[in-house]
Amino acid sequence: MNKATSLKKLKELIELDKTLPLRKDATNLVFGEGNPNAKILFLGEAPGRMEDLTGKPFSGAAGKLLDKLLQSINLPRDETYISNIVKFRPPQNRTPTPQEVKTFLPYINQQIDIICPKLIITLGAVPLSIFYPDIKISQIQGRLQEINYCGKTIHLLPLYHPAAALRNGHMKEQLETSFKKIPSILSQIK
Ligand code: URA
């Protein structure tokens, strides 16, 4: 089965899973989108209001900043894959609880295994917490890590969340600086 078909099947499984939290208040499942064969997988936290309406990850204000950052390094969005840990919008855009994150974990692990990217870029503290539950994002943002997935060692780059960067100029600068490292990281790990 190719990656696109496996992702489609996974999406169907999530659609059928009536035990998932947050489903009842959500408009759409935000499964993730992009190139199933992408070398880079971006992982956000959870859909916001715009994502809930469109069904597409990072389609609101934070997504606009992400698009700008991608343009700044000449990386077309459709060459990447973009997803979130939690796939339904938490009410009022609150941070998903650890229990909610845990419930979605088997699905995100399957999504990572199918895509099997060379580099995962976590955006914010929530996606980082699934790999490093005890580390603060400020301690390792912008520093390349190694993790084991899909039977191999892949790389992980923890970055600040674009929504946090929109509220905090210092974080925005750090996000922009760390983003600029992506092209050289990609050529290193090819
Ligand atoms: N914030 C996220 O973490 N994900 C989105 O898709 C949009 C905003």
Side-chain angles (χ1 to χ4, degrees):
M1 209 189 302
N2 69 24
K3 292 183 182 186
T5 311
S6 302
L7 287 170
K8 196 165 161 262
K9 284 204 179 307
L10 181 63
K11 185 177 179 187
E12 284 162 9
L13 277 181
I14 300 178
E15 269 161 354
L16 289 172
D17 185 347
K18 304 295 178 214
T19 68
L20 285 172
L22 303 168
R23 172 191 287 280
K24 74 173 179 18
D25 295 317
T27 315
N28 280 300
L29 165 71
V30 183
F31 176 73
E33 66 173 15
N35 181 347
N37 297 303
K39 292 191 173 59
I40 303 186
L41 168 63
F42 285 95
L43 286 179
E45 176 180 306
R49 193 176 70 90
M50 188 58 83
E51 292 76 21
D52 178 58
L53 294 175
T54 60
K56 291 172 180 295
F58 286 92
S59 48
K64 288 217 168 62
L65 177 55
L66 179 60
D67 288 345
K68 266 196 197 162
L69 291 162
L70 287 167
Q71 277 161 19
S72 75
I73 57 165
N74 291 319
L75 180 60
R77 180 171 164 136
D78 60 10
E79 279 182 20
T80 71
Y81 198 94
I82 303 181
S83 192
N84 286 302
I85 305 300
V86 167
K87 305 213 184 287
F88 292 110
R89 181 194 185 205
Q92 278 82 47
N93 293 352
R94 65 163 170 73
T95 305
T97 65
Q99 185 53 38
E100 285 162 352
V101 169
K102 207 171 149 192
T103 318
F104 282 92
L105 214 48
Y107 291 119
I108 189 64
N109 282 334
Q110 286 180 66
Q111 207 172 15
I112 297 171
D113 275 336
I114 293 168
I115 298 167
C116 193
K118 292 202 181 314
L119 175 65
I120 293 179
I121 300 181
T122 51
L123 299 171
V126 169
L128 181 63
S129 74
I130 73 164
F131 304 102
Y132 294 100
D134 300 321
I135 295 186
K136 275 194 173 167
I137 186 167
S138 55
Q139 291 175 283
I140 59 168
Q141 83 76 32
R143 286 164 47 189
L144 195 62
Q145 312 292 319
E146 287 186 350
I147 53 174
N148 291 316
Y149 259 89
C150 50
K152 44 187 198 178
T153 302
I154 62 174
H155 290 82
L156 176 108
L157 182 68
L159 297 184
Y160 284 131
H161 196 290
L166 286 172
R167 294 188 297 264
N168 178 320
H170 182 59
M171 274 189 186
K172 186 158 183 260
E173 272 170 32
Q174 287 186 294
L175 176 59
E176 285 164 350
T177 304
S178 299
F179 221 88
K180 289 201 186 95
K181 296 181 183 173
I182 296 173
S184 68
I185 289 173
L186 274 181
S187 52
Q188 253 177 59
I189 63 180
K190 255 188 192 147

